[in-house]
Amino acid sequence: MNEARIEAYLALIQALFQCENGQEPALLQANAELLDAGLVAVMKQYAGFLEQQGDSNNGRWLLNMAQQLEQFLDPPRDNQNPYTSFLQTLLQTVVESPGNPQAIYPLLDNNLHLLDENLVNLLRAWGNQTKEQASPEETYQLAALLYDLAYAFSGFTKGNPIINLAIAIYGYEVCATTIRRQPGLERDLAQTLTNLGNAYSTQAQLGQEPVANLERAIATYTEATTIRRQPGLERDLAGTLTNLGAAYSTQAQLGQEPVANLERAIAAYTEATTIRRQPGLERDLAQTLTNLGVAYRTQARLGKEPVVKLERAIATYTEATTILRQPGLERDLAGTLTNLGVAYYTQAELGQEPVANLERAIANYREALSFLNPALLPADTLRTGRNLGNLGFRQGWWDIALEGYTVAVEAVEQSRAWATSEVLRQEIVRESIGVYENLIQAAVNQGDLSLALRTVERSRSKRLADLIAVGDLYADGRVPPEIQAWYQQVKESRQIQSQLRQNPLDQPGFTQKPQPYPIGNTRASFATEQLQAAEAAERQAWDALYRFDAITAQLQQPQPQPRLDELTALLPSPQTALLSFYTTATHTHIFVLRRPSRDGGEGVNCHTIPNPPESANDLQNWLVVNWVNPYIEINQAETAQSRQQRRHEWHQAMATRLQELATRLQFDTLIQQHLQGITELILIPHLFLHQIPFDLLPTAEGQLLGDRFRLQFVPSTKILGLCQERSQPTPDTLGIVENTTEDLPYTPLECEWVAQTWNVPRQRRLQGRTVTPDSYLQLLKQVQALLSSHHATSRPDDPLNSHLVLAEEQKVTLRDLLSPLWRFPELSEVFLSCCETGLSFATSRDEEGNLRRELLDEPLSLGTGFLLGGARAVISSHWAVTDLATALFSREYHRARRAGEERLTALHQARQALRETCQKDWRDSLTVDYQQAFQIWQQMRQTKDPNVNAAGANYQKIGELIKWLDEFAPDAVPFQDYRYWGAFYCLGLP
């Protein structure tokens, strides 16, 4: 699908919107050459774009038009609407089975793509018409058919549950409202009403008009109970009463007349328990008693006679546990024991026999856990384990807290391993982050620093660790064809987005996109908010990766707790220490791991800084307010001048903020107590500490932290271990990607310097606007080291769309780098001579502006993307860097690397060169370069080399730089400020 054809498709779409009603067929006929599957794809893509922008009317119209065109282009062989054909087959199967799910479900499985609103509407139209024309005998047959259809769809677990419920509800509604309201069918009517109520309740659970659907459920349940109040139907009546009580209870939880609805729920449950106290109904009785206990406990929480209500809850729970103590009911028993434990704990909180009730709560939680296995019932285990852990934590009983939280963490790990999508995996961890946090704090308080550190490292960067492990599956380049086809769809989607960026449709309802912020002389570019909707559609396509069986199968086993000796083995020498940062609501912990001492003691210590009592999450809040937000606000300014002013203010405040951070972290005390004899640090920051340039942190002796220690950064010990397990190729072959938008004046000079240092031939240099994502990837696979020097941007609103900027709206995103196609197993290191490649953001605030408690420690940056793709180390930047200073910094770094220095040493030497070299020394050094560049230019002129113009531009640029330096005094240090040399750091191996 080339760009010209996409542009033609978009022009036709614009014309369709602008033409008068009824003229669409003529317009399509006049453009018959464009009527193909490509047009349908673009129409659907743009319809999704409109929906994302809030223009749902035009979006639905265009989608409907695309579907009609799709049917026209590829009609069924019998020229019949596929929905009509499918519905006929479905109804025939229901009749012939009759209503047997084993016959119906395979048919549904094979036609999931037809289970949508179109099918629902067609079924309603057919059913209503048939009902009006049917004889009494046919009416009864229709009732049986629709009931069986509704029953089948109510139990079908695949497809869209909302569609399944809509079909079930229609079938039950037709039966209940008209057909079955005949003498002699009362029992059938009651069953239909109960099933209809269940469907309404399930819709409410799915968030579909919950209050209204619960009201409908209550109405149908109530009518069903009226019918069932006759001899012989007591058991059915008890079941409907229990469902009615659950609906009332849920309404109360939604804030709908909570007191009155709870009373109604209790009345329904109580009547059901009376009926169910007969032989053979014990399990049903236990269920109703448990529900009744929950209602009593909810009343207590609302302050309605709390002690009395809790006593009643305890009585009903206790009776239920007595019934459930029989084989096969262990899961139900565990759930009721957990509820009983909660009731006892709440009584203790109310001052009712606190010691005895806490002991009873612990005993019930423990007994419940004895029936639960986190590998089999992770959700149940998590709930009970968390309750036990919370009890111990609140009481300061750290052994009890550790007991509960340990099993809860195992349950989280299993739930996460079972999750079938990346979104669900992230949500499981997000909702359980407090379990990890409390387990760590309890372990610290208990003095078990080894457990605390191992839990910290188990909890962090889980997503990145998964991706780096999965990526090694495809390190040999053998990517399954399904993945390749999927990735091709993403590339075509980007083509469409590119056209939309350049030529947005100009008509009502289509917002014109403003020009992006000017890049100027920094290596940054900025995305416009108006593209977010189109990018959202692309994100949905990327999610398909995590549903691909070959990948998800590798993530089905929960990650075990790392052993301390495994962590210690990551330290390369006795002079190396690992600092693992972890912040909770109340404390900041810095775990220090060193080689074990000679006396055999564990090498784990903890440097803890408590937050002020009145300030939860004090450190992370401070980082957001004083570091993160001011940086983000730079690019939100409306003019280049105001952006420049904000950037200057941010840099001016840096020294003061870093000094305050060093004080908050009590770094001098940390060094004095735990880092004596250490020369190298492996730092694992937490949350927004990932954005801090620790090399610049001041220490008591007037030195920066980066002057006292060699600093290496990793997202987690798991990722450090994965990097160390890779082979370590020597970076002899270097490639260069340079100035992809051809607007950075000093980048060509930088790249020429590095090319001369490493003897890089022209075929390994991708230059200017010719660079594409494909050529970039091919170069990565051919070299052991890469210099990538051009624009890049980090996206605080959408971290996975942070990207390297190529020409003509092309880009290499973090999503690309995380995909299986972007694997470069022989790559030793990458120097990202760009802006913000090491900058990672998280959604830090909730809707009320408070720091999110469930923040995930996932440093999603372009640097980590290259690390996961195969690089052993990445040199990244913390902020937007200037072109000239970065060119000189890169020059010094690569010369040190070529001389045999390790990355950390080369980084330090490059920093020292910029912060200490005076004007005279720069001028002397560059004069030598100038003379050499002039000679090269002269030689190329004589040999008529095709690259002579580039060589001439380089020597002229060096001359301009020397003239610029002449504006400084000979002893002045032009690049002394932090902003010129402090942004770059080493991520990965040293």
Side-chain angles (χ1 to χ4, degrees), residues 829 893 895-906 909 990:
E829 72 176 74
Y893 171 83
R895 288 182 177 180
R897 286 290 284 143
R898 187 59 167 168
E901 299 291 354
E902 288 189 338
R903 299 180 188 97
L904 298 185
T905 302
Q909 290 182 6

Side-chain angles (χ1 to χ4, degrees), residues 814 817 836-840 859-866 876 985 987:
L814 179 53
L817 296 172
E836 304 178 343
T837 53
L839 195 58
S840 61
L860 296 173
S861 69
L862 290 165
T864 54
F866 277 96
S876 300
Y985 67 99
L987 182 68

Side-chain angles (χ1 to χ4, degrees), residues 183-203:
L185 297 180
E186 293 85 359
R187 187 166 186 171
D188 292 339
L189 174 60
Q191 184 60 58
T192 303
L193 288 167
T194 299
N195 291 350
L196 179 57
N198 293 342
Y200 285 139
S201 295
T202 306
Q203 271 200 329

Side-chain angles (χ1 to χ4, degrees), residues 932-972:
Q932 181 181 1
F934 181 78
Q935 292 174 0
I936 293 174
W937 175 64
Q938 289 282 56
Q939 292 172 1
M940 295 177 80
R941 287 184 64 190
Q942 293 173 3
T943 60
K944 298 183 179 180
D945 191 294
N947 297 299
V948 64
N949 291 336
N954 284 333
Y955 100 79
Q956 290 176 3
K957 187 59 64 177
I958 298 175
E960 293 175 10
L961 177 53
I962 293 172
K963 289 182 179 179
W964 177 79
L965 286 169
D966 287 340
E967 298 177 8
F968 296 85
D971 59 349

Side-chain angles (χ1 to χ4, degrees), residues 4 20 42 58 65 80 86 93 123 205 233 237 277 320 388 438 486 512 526 578 703 738 845 875 878 909 938:
E20 297 182 3
V42 174
N58 281 329
M65 176 70 71
Q80 189 178 41
F86 170 63
T93 303
L123 173 64
Q205 293 172 13
L233 299 181
L237 173 61
R277 291 185 186 281
L388 178 60
N438 286 355
W486 156 79
Q512 287 286 348
F526 307 95
L578 182 145
Q703 289 181 297
E738 57 188 87
R845 301 285 178 177
I875 308 302
H878 278 298
Q909 290 182 6
Q938 289 282 56

